[in-house]
Amino acid sequence: MVQYPFITSAPGKVILFGEHSAVYNKPAIAAALSLRTYLLVTKNSDPNDDYIYLEFPDIKLSHKWKMSEMPWELTTHEQGRPPEGEELNAELVNGLTTMLTTITSPLHYSAAYCFLYLFLSLCNGEIESGLTFTVRSTLPIGAGLGSSASISVCLASALAYIGGHIKNATLDKSSKIIKDSDECLFVDAWSYMGEKCIHGNPSGIDNAVATHGGAVMFQRMANSMPSVRTSMRNLPSINLLLTNTKTPRRTADLVSNVARVVNDFPKSTGCILESMEAIAREAYNLMLRPFFDNDSKVRLMELIRINHGLLVALGVSHPNLERIKLYCDELKIGETKLTGAGGGGCAITLLNENITQDTYDELNAKFEQHGFQTFKTTLGGKGVGLLMNPSKEFSEYLSVESFVNFKTTNEIETSIGCSSVESWKYW
Ligand SMILES: Nc1ncnc2c1ncn2[C@@H]1O[C@H](COP(=O)(O)OP(=O)(O)OP(=O)(O)O)[C@@H](O)[C@H]1O
Ligand SMILES: C[C@@](O)(CCO)CC(=O)[O-]
Ligand SMILES: [Mg+2]
């Protein structure tokens, strides 16, 4: 019996090498961020309430559907893990269109579609109605830091839990071990389906990192073979500056633009994708060297520069991303590349040693002129987690109202006690 309320949480990610080429079955390297998404699931006390509710205030979406009007007949409800590479269930996709007709903004549509697809796939008509799903995130949305994957993982884990497909999470932070649990593999596979709803043709790297946490080398395989995910432990402590252009874009659009270029220029772009593969492999070897010395760092910086150039060639940069790169180059701050799908969103800069405070101030002044925002975050955080029965101190904040009304991202985390290690459990 599921006890309400509960919260699931999953991290964003930063791709260090291999975005876009990952979609073409090339290896890529990514790490979980300390910025996270939180999904609160509450149940209202009215037993006759026939609705389920979505409250996604970060994107200003508030919606409800009647449970009794959902196309339950389109799902089998003996759903295990979907086989690798499986496409979305075409009948369900079609059946959901009528439930989404009143949602016209693409931002809202993809989030609601992801929710409904996972809800109907993982729960059945017998589950309690009157549930509200409220999402808040400390991640910038549509900025290349995996916000879509983190909501997909939050939804897949919560719905798999409600649907009885995964059991209660039990491991605490220190005992979360290296081996993948069945629960995590289940959540990884279904959040991939959620990512498909949001952006069509994901490689699976973002949801893999959001589920398992840490840092990985990831490669999707051809012909529906399972993707390969190698955990990278003992990452060298590299000093990254993360800058958000705040230029909005959708991963779905960028991935489909690259698909067009790859289709129109197969030979020329084939070489670009192969170079990206070589870069990811060389970076992997450098980062896992037992002694990551200055020479290794210099080589890694060059790989960052080359990788960015190749992404520019695929057409996924943006004048604002180039501005960040230009300022960092002029001030000799370090090497910069876009991260995630590009077209706006964020850039990462691997910083040189010994940069003076004056130089940082100068850089920040330039960034401010354009409204760019820099982030301090750590790499390699925890994957998907569950918070139930929080201590009294925090439980008063587990209501839809307080979740919706949190003003700052800091307020979200301090109010629900997410830094209180004992409260969170991991699968
Ligand atoms: N906090 C949130 N609340 C509701 N929906 C969200 C939230 N965060 C992300 N989304 C959904 O994810 C979509 C953004 O996903 P998109 O893949 O375009 O960007 P991203 O995941 O932030 O960047 P990238 O894929 O490059 O890492 C939004 O349009 C919305 O549908
Ligand atoms: C652009 C892309 O490579 C990364 C988006 O974070 C798409 C994907 O791998 O799913
Ligand atoms: Mg995304």
Side-chain angles (χ1 to χ4, degrees):
M1 184 73 179
V2 177
Q3 280 177 34
Y4 300 96
F6 69 86
I7 299 181
T8 57
S9 167
K13 58 87 229 244
V14 62
I15 297 186
L16 300 173
F17 296 96
E19 47 277 271
H20 288 291
S21 51
V23 175
Y24 299 88
N25 304 337
K26 306 295 187 200
I29 298 175
L33 285 175
S34 51
L35 302 166
R36 300 180 72 92
T37 297
Y38 300 92
L39 165 67
L40 171 70
V41 188
T42 45
K43 175 162 171 46
N44 76 28
S45 50
D46 176 359
N48 299 319
D49 186 342
D50 183 34
Y51 283 94
I52 50 155
Y53 303 84
L54 277 198
E55 292 294 342
F56 289 180
D58 295 335
I59 58 166
K60 300 189 174 55
L61 171 66
S62 179
H63 207 83
K64 63 179 180 181
W65 292 274
K66 268 199 163 162
M67 284 279 282
S68 52
E69 288 175 1
M70 297 219 167
W72 295 110
E73 68 287 358
L74 297 178
T75 53
T76 61
H77 298 296
E78 286 151 18
Q79 307 262 30
R81 199 177 297 155
E84 286 288 332
E86 188 180 297
E87 292 308 320
L88 294 172
N89 170 343
E91 284 191 6
L92 180 56
V93 169
N94 190 31
L96 292 180
T97 50
T98 49
M99 310 201 63
L100 292 162
T101 43
T102 55
I103 300 180
T104 47
S105 136
L107 202 81
H108 291 176
Y109 190 95
S110 50
Y113 176 29
C114 171
F115 171 78
L116 283 177
Y117 190 89
L118 294 176
F119 184 67
L120 275 120
S121 300
L122 296 173
C123 298
N124 62 38
E126 320 276 279
I127 70 147
E128 297 121 305
S129 51
L131 296 181
T132 302
F133 295 81
T134 310
V135 167
R136 291 304 303 269
S137 190
T138 65
L139 283 158
I141 295 166
L145 303 183
S147 70
S148 62
S150 70
I151 94 153
S152 256
V153 169
C154 286
L155 289 170
S157 55
L159 294 167
Y161 181 53
I162 295 169
H165 302 284
I166 60 173
K167 55 183 191 295
N168 204 337
T170 50
L171 297 169
D172 65 31
K173 192 172 175 160
S174 53
S175 64
K176 172 76 175 111
I177 21 121
I178 294 142
K179 194 175 160 302
D180 295 326
S181 64
D182 274 354
E183 287 80 6
C184 276
L185 293 173
F186 190 90
V187 170
D188 188 357
W190 278 98
S191 57
Y192 180 56
M193 295 291 142
E195 273 277 83
K196 284 195 175 198
C197 297
I198 295 177
H199 77 72
N201 184 18
S203 63
I205 188 170
D206 293 5
N207 55 281
V209 174
T211 304
H212 302 279
V216 291
M217 168 96 145
F218 177 97
Q219 187 168 13
R220 182 167 85 168
M221 293 292 166
N223 306 325
S224 300
M225 295 289 285
S227 45
V228 176
R229 181 173 40 81
T230 314
S231 292
M232 294 173 69
R233 280 175 269 286
N234 308 324
L235 268 197
S237 58
I238 47 178
N239 227 349
L240 276 188
L241 180 72
L242 197 53
T243 311
N244 187 359
T245 59
K246 304 233 190 109
T247 305
R249 86 298 172 285
R250 286 173 67 233
T251 299
D253 298 336
L254 288 141
V255 169
S256 66
N257 278 343
V258 171
R260 185 191 49 76
V261 178
V262 166
N263 186 51
D264 289 355
F265 302 93
K267 279 202 176 144
S268 314
T269 54
C271 299
I272 295 177
L273 298 173
E274 270 166 33
S275 299
M276 288 176 165
E277 166 160 18
I279 290 169
R281 292 197 189 284
E282 175 146 14
Y284 178 80
N285 291 335
L286 280 173
M287 287 201 275
L288 291 189
R289 270 188 192 173
F291 302 103
F292 183 81
D293 54 13
N294 198 46
D295 280 357
S296 319
K297 185 175 169 188
V298 169
R299 278 188 84 80
L300 201 62
M301 291 179 96
E302 298 219 52
L303 293 174
I304 287 195
R305 195 191 61 241
I306 302 169
N307 198 161
H308 180 74
L310 295 170
L311 288 162
V312 173
L314 287 181
V316 294
S317 191
H318 182 276
N320 280 336
L321 288 165
E322 294 308 311
R323 276 186 189 103
I324 294 175
K325 181 167 166 54
L326 181 84
Y327 292 144
C328 289
D329 287 355
E330 271 175 0
L331 292 169
K332 300 194 173 22
I333 292 268
E335 287 294 348
T336 302
K337 71 178 269 295
L338 68 86
T339 187
C346 290
I348 50 173
T349 306
L350 180 51
L351 297 169
N352 287 323
E353 306 295 320
N354 304 327
I355 301 164
T356 63
Q357 190 55 46
D358 285 352
T359 310
Y360 274 125
D361 292 345
E362 204 180 328
L363 182 72
N364 279 327
K366 287 178 188 291
F367 282 177
E368 265 169 33
Q369 284 174 7
H370 299 279
F372 300 160
Q373 182 188 17
T374 55
F375 282 95
K376 287 203 180 71
T377 169
T378 52
L379 293 189
K382 285 268 151 219
V384 60
L386 174 74
L387 177 72
M388 304 193 77
N389 307 322
S391 58
K392 209 153 182 275
E393 170 194 5
F394 302 121
S395 57
E396 69 175 285
Y397 294 103
L398 300 201
S399 71
V400 175
E401 198 189 7
S402 60
F403 232 64
V404 167
N405 288 328
F406 289 136
K407 294 256 169 349
T408 61
T409 56
N410 197 13
E411 202 185 335
I412 303 175
E413 301 202 325
T414 46
S415 304
I416 61 175
C418 59
S419 53
S420 149
V421 172
E422 323 72 64
S423 310
W424 286 90
K425 299 286 180 220
Y426 296 88
W427 278 288

